[in-house]
Amino acid sequence: MVSGSVQQSPFMSDFLHKCGGYAVVDGGFATELERHGADLNDPLWSAKCLVTSPHLVRKVHLDYIDAGANIILTASYQATIQGFEAKGYSTEEAEGLLRRSVEIACEARDIYYGRCTKDSCDFMDNGSASRRPVLVAASVGSYGAYLADGSEYSGDYGDAVSLKTLKDFHRRRVQILANSGADLIAFETIPNKLEAKAYAELLEEEEINIPAWFSFNSKDGINVVSGDSILECASIADSGKQVVAVGINCTAPRFIHGLILSVRKVTDKPVIIYPNSGETYDADRKEWVQSTGVRDEDFVSYIGQWRTAGASLFGGCCRTTPNTIRAISRVLSNKSSPSLS
Ligand SMILES: C[S+](C)CC[C@H](N)C(=O)O
Ligand SMILES: N[C@@H](CCS)C(=O)O
Ligand SMILES: [Zn+2]
C-alpha cells in the first residue's frame, strides 16, 4: 500500500472485475483514420474528421470494439474550442463538435450492442453469454496537441505558459466533455508536471463528477517527455479523488516495463498502458518515420511482463491497429498463454 494515497473509488475495480481482471483499451485512433485514407495534415489533426467524416470516426470506433476493446477513446484528442474557433467555427459549433465526438463513440457502442445477440456474444460472465463491457472515454489531449507542432512530445511550453494558462485553456472543454454522456475522461499524452497539476486542479475546481485517468508519455523510460519526474507526475495523478487509473501512453514499448514499476511506486490505483508502435513522428511533415517500430507479435509479447509488473489496462496508441488490439485481447483472455507467464 502506498502511504498517503486517497480513498480509492470502486469504479475501476468494479469495471476490471466485470472484464475478467484486465481491460483492453483501443488502439491508435488518428493513425487508423489515416490508414483508411483520411488526410490529417491540419491543425485539428484527427478532430478534423469530426467535421469531414464522422462515419469514418464511427467505423474506427466500431472496428476497435469488434477487435475486443473494453474502452474506446473519442476523437476529441485535438478537438479544442480554441482550435475550432481558429478555423472559423463559432463557440457554439465548437462545443457541439466536442459533444458530437462522444455521441459518435456511443453510437458505435450501440451498433455493437444492437448486433450482439445471445448466440453471437463473444463475452462470458459467470459462465453465460453476455454483452462485453464497453466504456466511452472522452479524450483530452494536451495544450501541446492544440499547438499542432508535436509539443506533446517535448512538453516545452515556454515560460509564458503558466498553471493558470493551462487551466483556462482546458476548463470549458473539460466541463463539456464531463457532461457529454462519456463514462470517463482520458487525460492522455500528458507531457509535463504543470499540465498534470492543471488537470488535477480543474477536476476539483469544476467539481467534475465522472472518473478520469491520467496518462503520461516518455521518451527515455525514466522521466516524462519534458524531463519532469514520472514519480512526481504520477503522484499528482494519485492525489486526484476522481482519478481511477494512472499510466503511460504514446511511448515506445521498450520503455513501458520500467515506467510501470515507477508509477507503481507512488500509486495503488490501477495502471493503464497503451504504448505506440515505437515509430517516431515528424511533426513538421505530420508523418510517421517508418521502420523504427515493433511488429504486432513483438508488441504483444511484452504483455506478460507488463502484466507481471502490475498493469491492469492494456491497449495501443499511435500506429497500432485493430490487429494489435485483437492480439492483446486474445492474450489476456487466454491466461494460460506462455506469453503471460
Ligand atoms: C501524438 S502526436 C502524433 C499528435 C499530432 C500533433 N499534435 C500534431 O498536430 O502534429
Ligand atoms: N487517442 C489519441 C492519442 C494520440 S497520442 C489517438 O489515438 O489518436
Ligand atoms: Zn499516440
Side-chain angles (χ1 to χ4, degrees):
M1 182 74 189
V2 175
S3 64
S5 280
V6 290
Q7 181 80 34
Q8 305 294 311
S9 144
F11 175 91
M12 190 52 85
S13 49
D14 288 354
F15 176 69
L16 289 171
H17 181 73
K18 271 196 255 164
C19 293
Y22 301 97
V24 180
V25 182
D26 68 7
F29 181 76
T31 52
E32 192 58 15
L33 294 169
E34 283 181 317
R35 219 166 59 85
H36 286 287
D39 175 6
L40 304 188
N41 192 347
D42 187 279
L44 293 176
W45 200 47
S46 52
K48 175 186 161 192
C49 290
L50 287 169
V51 181
T52 59
S53 36
H55 54 283
L56 182 58
V57 170
R58 188 164 44 239
K59 176 189 159 39
V60 170
H61 288 317
L62 193 51
D63 286 349
Y64 277 122
I65 301 176
D66 284 338
N70 295 116
I71 305 183
I72 54 171
L73 279 81
T74 62
S76 49
Y77 175 82
Q78 206 146 314
T80 64
I81 296 168
Q82 300 83 341
F84 285 128
E85 286 177 344
K87 298 280 283 190
Y89 294 94
S90 68
T91 309
E92 292 69 30
E93 286 168 331
E95 295 184 0
L97 285 163
L98 277 170
R99 292 188 190 95
R100 187 75 190 115
S101 69
V102 175
E103 274 169 18
I104 297 172
C106 292
E107 285 165 13
R109 176 172 58 183
D110 289 345
I111 294 170
Y112 171 73
Y113 281 154
R115 285 194 323 224
C116 187
T117 63
K118 192 166 149 291
D119 296 328
S120 70
C121 274
D122 58 358
F123 182 75
M124 301 296 280
D125 187 15
N126 281 331
S128 49
S130 175
R131 295 183 344 164
R132 172 164 20 104
V134 177
L135 297 180
V136 169
S139 166
V140 173
S142 65
Y143 177 73
Y146 152 77
L147 296 177
D149 59 0
S151 293
E152 66 269 66
Y153 289 152
S154 73
D156 182 3
Y157 296 162
D159 292 341
V161 173
S162 65
L163 182 65
K164 181 174 182 313
T165 316
L166 293 179
K167 285 201 285 186
D168 289 347
F169 175 79
H170 287 294
R171 190 178 305 274
R172 180 73 185 136
R173 176 191 193 199
V174 167
Q175 282 173 340
I176 288 171
L177 291 173
N179 291 301
S180 62
D183 299 298
L184 72 164
I185 300 178
F187 293 107
E188 51 172 355
T189 330
I190 310 172
N192 59 38
K193 196 167 97 177
L194 192 66
E195 198 144 28
K197 201 155 187 278
Y199 291 143
E201 291 192 11
L202 266 188
L203 288 177
E204 290 292 320
E205 287 171 17
E206 299 305 316
E207 300 180 8
I208 300 298
N209 60 6
I210 64 170
W213 80 53
F214 279 36
S215 180
F216 300 90
N217 59 331
S218 168
K219 52 192 177 196
D220 60 7
I222 299 165
N223 298 309
V224 303
V225 291
S226 63
D228 290 339
S229 153
I230 183 65
L231 298 176
E232 289 179 33
C233 289
S235 296
I236 291 169
D238 180 66
S239 66
K241 281 199 301 288
Q242 297 299 116
V243 179
V244 293
V246 184
I248 307 291
N249 75 293
C250 217
T251 295
R254 67 184 183 281
F255 295 136
I256 298 295
H257 182 258
L259 290 163
I260 296 171
L261 297 178
S262 298
V263 169
R264 289 201 59 228
K265 282 190 188 149
V266 294
T267 187
D268 288 329
K269 297 186 194 231
V271 174
I272 177 168
I273 56 106
Y274 50 115
N276 59 28
S277 65
E279 289 162 279
T280 46
Y281 184 64
D282 180 334
D284 294 330
R285 300 164 64 100
K286 286 201 171 356
E287 279 175 7
W288 292 86
V289 183
Q290 291 190 9
S291 80
T292 48
V294 300
R295 295 172 309 159
D296 275 349
E297 308 86 90
D298 299 330
F299 187 104
V300 170
S301 70
Y302 281 110
I303 296 285
Q305 57 161 279
W306 293 339
R307 193 184 69 133
T308 306
S312 303
L313 298 101
F314 305 84
C317 204
C318 296
R319 302 279 282 177
T320 63
T321 71
N323 275 343
T324 324
I325 300 313
R326 195 168 295 107
I328 292 174
S329 171
R330 283 204 188 113
V331 167
L332 287 173
S333 57
N334 179 9
K335 306 281 188 318
S336 60
S337 160
S339 52
L340 269 184
S341 58

